[in-house]
Amino acid sequence: MMKLNGAGALRMKADITEINTYAKQWIKEAGERIRASFPKTLDIQTKTNANDLVTNIDRETEQFFIEKIKGTYPDHRILGEEGYGDKLDELEGVVWIIDPIDGTINFIHQQRNFAISIGIYVDGVGEIGFIYDVVHDELYHAVKGKGVHMNEEKLPKLKNRKVSEAIIALNATWITENRRLKPELLAPLVRAARGTRSYGSAAMELVYVATGRLDAYITPRLAPWDIAAGILMVKELGGVATNLRGGPLNMLEENSVFVASSGLHAEIMKAYLKSGEW
């Protein structure tokens, strides 16, 4: 893996600034293209099942980013949801992890509650994150060590809450009969929390934890492109992002995911997730 010191470290610092500037421009341009698609008829196809949908806009947006990235940084690599990027088995160098439209079902049915999500990793470490709420023109962005902003407004550190005061993002699927876990495992947490919500977009739910609109997010299955940007933001604001066993997340494979402020994360792990039946 690349080790940077001295001039190399200064060069990488400059590169991060430049990459951040380009990425903001490209995301805004992609957002304009998506908004322009709203009146048009979508080409909708299924992937793994009838509810796993992809549109021509998902694919065109990913291809747009690949063209921009490869044209400017030919040595950078891309891990994208729609499969137009590179085949990766490690994260050395600069890797862009892209979800062109996170929340495709919402995009199709509602034309809201979806986002562009991009995490930029250097030698496996998250350095830059973007989540763009296209409809509301809210760009959440973070550079490691420099906090998180919504457009030009800097977000405060996360506040700790008790479970009894917490609003937790959790899809109802996981407390009904399903193939991944026993419904009774998370039911006690749902009963103890102040409330639960589900928005249908992992990127939006993660950024809502970062803004304090939600206090925690729990799900048994997400891909790297769903979480690459959001977990960077949560961590940057003092939160914790792990799998449901409390272990590290892997940006090359599917993960269970649990994010929250540090105190709430510890309380939920100890009182509700300690069984480890995941």
Side-chain angles (χ1 to χ4, degrees):
M1 293 178 66
M2 180 171 51
K3 303 294 184 183
L4 295 175
N5 50 61
L10 292 174
R11 178 179 57 79
M12 179 54 71
K13 182 177 180 181
D15 287 350
I16 290 296
T17 300
E18 180 186 90
I19 292 166
N20 186 49
T21 300
Y22 275 123
K24 282 182 182 177
Q25 295 172 358
W26 298 337
I27 287 169
K28 286 285 190 162
E29 186 176 344
E32 290 175 3
R33 292 160 61 104
I34 291 171
R35 286 191 293 269
S37 77
F38 283 172
K40 301 176 183 178
T41 300
L42 295 173
D43 175 15
I44 304 169
Q45 300 176 19
T46 60
K47 293 194 283 188
T48 59
N49 61 64
N51 293 321
D52 185 9
L53 304 179
V54 62
T55 72
N56 55 308
I57 305 302
D58 295 77
R59 290 175 168 146
E60 289 169 12
T61 302
E62 183 165 308
Q63 290 168 333
F64 166 82
F65 282 118
I66 289 172
E67 179 181 339
K68 293 292 187 181
I69 296 163
K70 291 296 188 179
T72 307
Y73 301 109
D75 58 329
H76 291 192
R77 296 184 298 160
I78 301 162
L79 180 62
E81 179 176 17
E82 306 311 331
Y84 295 110
D86 302 293
K87 304 298 182 184
L88 303 182
D89 56 13
E90 41 73 24
L91 291 175
E92 290 189 4
V94 181
V95 178
W96 298 59
I97 305 179
I98 298 174
D99 194 335
I101 296 180
D102 185 74
T104 298
I105 290 179
N106 293 346
F107 171 63
I108 293 168
H109 286 269
Q110 304 171 346
Q111 292 190 340
R112 64 189 63 230
N113 294 321
F114 67 89
I116 298 170
S117 178
I118 298 178
I120 303 172
Y121 283 60
V122 179
D123 287 342
V125 177
E127 294 287 348
I128 306 174
F130 298 96
I131 294 175
Y132 186 33
D133 181 342
V134 173
V135 172
H136 295 102
D137 192 27
E138 293 178 346
L139 178 59
Y140 300 86
H141 51 102
V143 174
K144 190 174 185 292
K146 295 186 177 181
V148 182
H149 292 75
M150 190 279 284
N151 294 336
E152 302 306 316
E153 178 185 350
K154 189 168 185 178
L155 301 182
K157 292 288 187 178
L158 297 183
K159 295 180 180 178
N160 276 312
R161 299 189 193 280
K162 298 177 181 178
V163 168
S164 60
E165 302 169 333
I167 304 295
I168 298 174
L170 179 69
N171 193 298
T173 299
W174 310 123
I175 54 170
T176 58
E177 289 299 327
N178 67 87
R179 295 178 296 174
R180 293 195 169 269
L181 52 81
K182 298 175 182 178
E184 61 269 20
L185 291 174
L186 291 174
L189 175 60
V190 170
R191 289 192 292 269
R194 175 165 286 170
T196 58
R197 301 290 184 271
S198 180
Y199 293 92
S201 164
M204 295 300 296
E205 288 167 309
L206 286 166
V207 89
Y208 285 172
V209 173
T211 60
R213 297 170 189 166
L214 294 169
D215 300 300
Y217 176 44
I218 295 175
T219 185
R221 180 175 63 92
L222 287 177
W225 42 80
D226 296 316
I227 64 174
I231 62 171
L232 170 61
M233 295 181 189
V234 170
K235 290 178 179 178
E236 188 67 16
L237 294 175
V240 180
T242 68
N243 61 30
L244 293 182
R245 293 189 176 95
L249 297 168
N250 188 325
M251 289 297 102
L252 290 171
E253 61 185 35
E254 286 190 344
N255 298 267
S256 61
V257 177
F258 171 32
V259 301
S261 60
S262 58
L264 182 60
H265 190 282
E267 181 185 358
I268 291 174
M269 281 299 306
K270 181 178 179 181
Y272 300 96
L273 301 182
K274 60 185 178 184
S275 67
E277 297 182 52
W278 314 110

